[in-house]
Amino acid sequence: MAQQYRINEMFQTIQGEGVYTGVPAVFIRLQGCDVGCPWCDTQHTWHIADQDKTDLIIITDKSNESSRWAQVDSCGIIKEMQRLGYVAKHVVITGGEPCMYDLRELTLALHQQGYSTQIETSGTYKVQVADASFVTVSPKVNMKGGLSVRKDALLRANEIKHPVGTAKDIDALDALIQPLHKQLQAQICLQPISQKPRATQLATQVCIERNWRLSIQTHKYIGID
């Protein structure tokens, strides 16, 4: 039986963060997350309730921003992207926490149709994706859900995109990556939380000192989804 995915939202826009900033992309948002980040702007994706199940067309015909979800397999997802006339060839699978799902079937199917794929995960679940998928780990440390960032997720990452508010956030990242520094292949990106000036100044300074990369949420600056 084909793998089923709970889709909360699907839309076409520009990737606003990280290495792929500026690239046209289709975002597929999956329902379900137990990490518990206090600043999360998609808390409507956290819980999976049977009464919120609906049809895919209801999810994709307008911006969702609700806890509703549709259960679809990879074939159905690709067909819906084609029905909507999406032209972007880069697909970002996010959440919620997308790695609560086995994403190998979906990412392989997308690659076979000529798409590239990117996964945005907290690193608290095993990353099950196609070998060619680009994995962005945004490590969530000491969150309400009590989950630990996995070593294997960090080592699979192509990009480690870390939210920064204060120096403590830099210290938390160092504690994660220093034991793995000889094995890590990922580009390190620091992303100021909520575009706060002090956080931006701190992230910029550290990126210069360490030759890391600054990730600004450009979609919020230019006012797109």
Side-chain angles (χ1 to χ4, degrees):
M1 182 177 177
Q3 173 76 44
Q4 300 290 308
Y5 304 94
R6 298 181 183 92
I7 308 297
N8 172 270
E9 198 172 9
M10 185 190 300
F11 56 95
Q12 182 174 245
T13 186
I14 297 290
Q15 170 63 284
E17 303 176 357
V19 171
Y20 277 95
T21 294
V23 174
V26 176
F27 277 71
I28 298 173
R29 189 179 305 285
L30 301 182
Q31 188 76 13
C33 183
D34 56 358
V35 179
C37 304
W39 63 81
C40 177
D41 57 3
T42 57
Q43 292 189 22
H44 57 275
T45 66
W46 287 8
H47 305 294
I48 300 170
D50 290 341
Q51 64 266 28
D52 288 331
K53 186 177 181 180
T54 188
D55 295 326
L56 183 60
I57 194 170
I58 294 175
I59 297 296
T60 58
D61 272 4
K62 58 182 179 180
S63 180
N64 191 22
E65 294 188 359
S66 78
S67 58
R68 293 178 301 179
W69 53 272
Q71 187 164 292
V72 198
D73 62 14
S74 57
C75 181
I77 290 170
I78 292 170
K79 286 182 178 179
E80 184 66 2
M81 290 166 57
Q82 293 170 343
R83 182 189 76 82
L84 292 165
Y86 290 161
V87 296
K89 301 303 289 184
H90 184 63
V91 177
V92 181
I93 303 172
T94 185
E97 174 44 68
C99 289
M100 292 176 68
Y101 299 83
D102 184 337
L103 299 171
R104 288 173 292 188
E105 184 175 306
L106 175 56
T107 51
L108 283 169
L110 287 165
H111 294 168
Q112 289 168 0
Q113 293 295 317
Y115 297 95
S116 58
T117 61
Q118 178 182 2
I119 315 303
E120 295 191 344
T121 174
S122 64
T124 56
Y125 281 82
K126 184 177 181 180
V127 180
Q128 300 179 87
V129 297
D131 289 343
S133 294
F134 185 94
V135 176
T136 298
V137 173
S138 183
K140 302 302 190 295
V141 182
N142 298 324
M143 295 295 112
K144 184 178 178 180
L147 301 177
S148 298
V149 178
R150 296 173 59 108
K151 174 182 175 180
D152 56 357
L154 292 170
L155 292 177
R156 175 59 180 86
N158 301 98
E159 168 186 54
I160 295 174
K161 186 179 65 181
H162 191 61
V164 173
T166 69
K168 290 182 179 179
D169 298 315
I170 305 296
D171 294 341
L173 178 61
D174 284 339
L176 284 176
I177 66 175
Q178 282 181 351
L180 306 174
H181 75 279
K182 292 183 178 180
Q183 301 165 273
L184 278 181
Q185 300 296 316
Q187 168 76 59
I188 308 295
C189 299
L190 299 185
Q191 184 162 292
I193 294 175
S194 301
Q195 298 85 50
K196 293 180 179 179
R198 290 182 65 182
T200 302
Q201 182 180 11
L202 172 62
T204 300
Q205 177 184 342
V206 175
C207 284
I208 293 172
E209 291 173 353
R210 304 192 186 189
N211 200 29
W212 288 351
R213 185 166 181 163
L214 184 67
S215 173
I216 299 296
Q217 293 177 297
T218 56
H219 54 292
K220 294 186 178 180
Y221 282 101
I222 63 178
I224 63 172
D225 292 331

